[in-house]
Amino acid sequence: QVQLVESGGGLVQAGGSLRLSCAASGSIFSINAMGWYRQTPEKQRELVAAITSGGSTDYADSVKGRFTISRDNAKNTAYLQMNSLKPEDTAVYYCNANLKIAKLPGSYDYWGQGTQVTVSS
């Protein structure tokens, strides 16, 4: 019914930038919050950044001042602009959306398939 498709990951040198995109599609009535999480083999999945439907944002302390989350409500798409990347930012990045589905009560969480970000030193 609903799909989240991420794009924009890749390999970049330390200090470089990447922009991730997450497009939601399907029987979506509305999207509440969207967020980006990341996970490595050594760590549990952690929140990187989140944005509400009204544009309020929240960031992990480790990325404040370097990453910016934004969204285009008309396109059901969220973005993560990552600048000044560090090797410790290397992880699989996952998109999350909390949304309402047409004709169904309540809200549901959906996840993308993940996109690899690798930062070389």
Side-chain angles (χ1 to χ4, degrees):
Q1 282 183 319
V2 174
Q3 272 192 316
L4 300 184
V5 178
E6 299 136 339
S7 61
L11 173 65
V12 65
Q13 287 189 329
S17 298
L18 284 174
R19 189 192 193 209
L20 305 182
S21 298
C22 171
S25 62
S27 303
I28 299 170
F29 178 75
S30 64
I31 299 179
N32 301 322
M34 298 187 77
W36 290 95
Y37 291 73
R38 65 188 180 188
Q39 188 171 16
T40 67
E42 297 78 25
K43 290 184 179 180
Q44 289 185 330
R45 192 173 295 189
E46 62 175 0
L47 175 68
V48 176
I51 185 168
T52 67
S53 58
S56 296
T57 58
D58 188 28
Y59 296 93
D61 288 341
S62 60
V63 307
K64 284 180 180 176
R66 300 188 297 123
F67 291 9
T68 302
I69 189 171
S70 61
R71 61 189 281 180
D72 184 333
N73 291 331
K75 296 182 178 179
N76 287 338
T77 299
Y79 306 95
L80 186 67
Q81 178 67 42
M82 304 186 294
N83 298 329
S84 302
L85 282 160
K86 303 176 181 180
E88 51 263 45
D89 294 318
T90 295
V92 178
Y93 283 70
Y94 296 91
C95 176
N96 169 269
N98 180 267
L99 52 85
K100 296 182 179 180
I101 298 175
K103 302 182 181 179
L104 289 180
S107 297
Y108 302 86
D109 275 320
Y110 283 86
W111 293 89
Q113 79 284 358
T115 185
Q116 178 70 46
V117 171
T118 302
V119 184
S120 63
S121 57

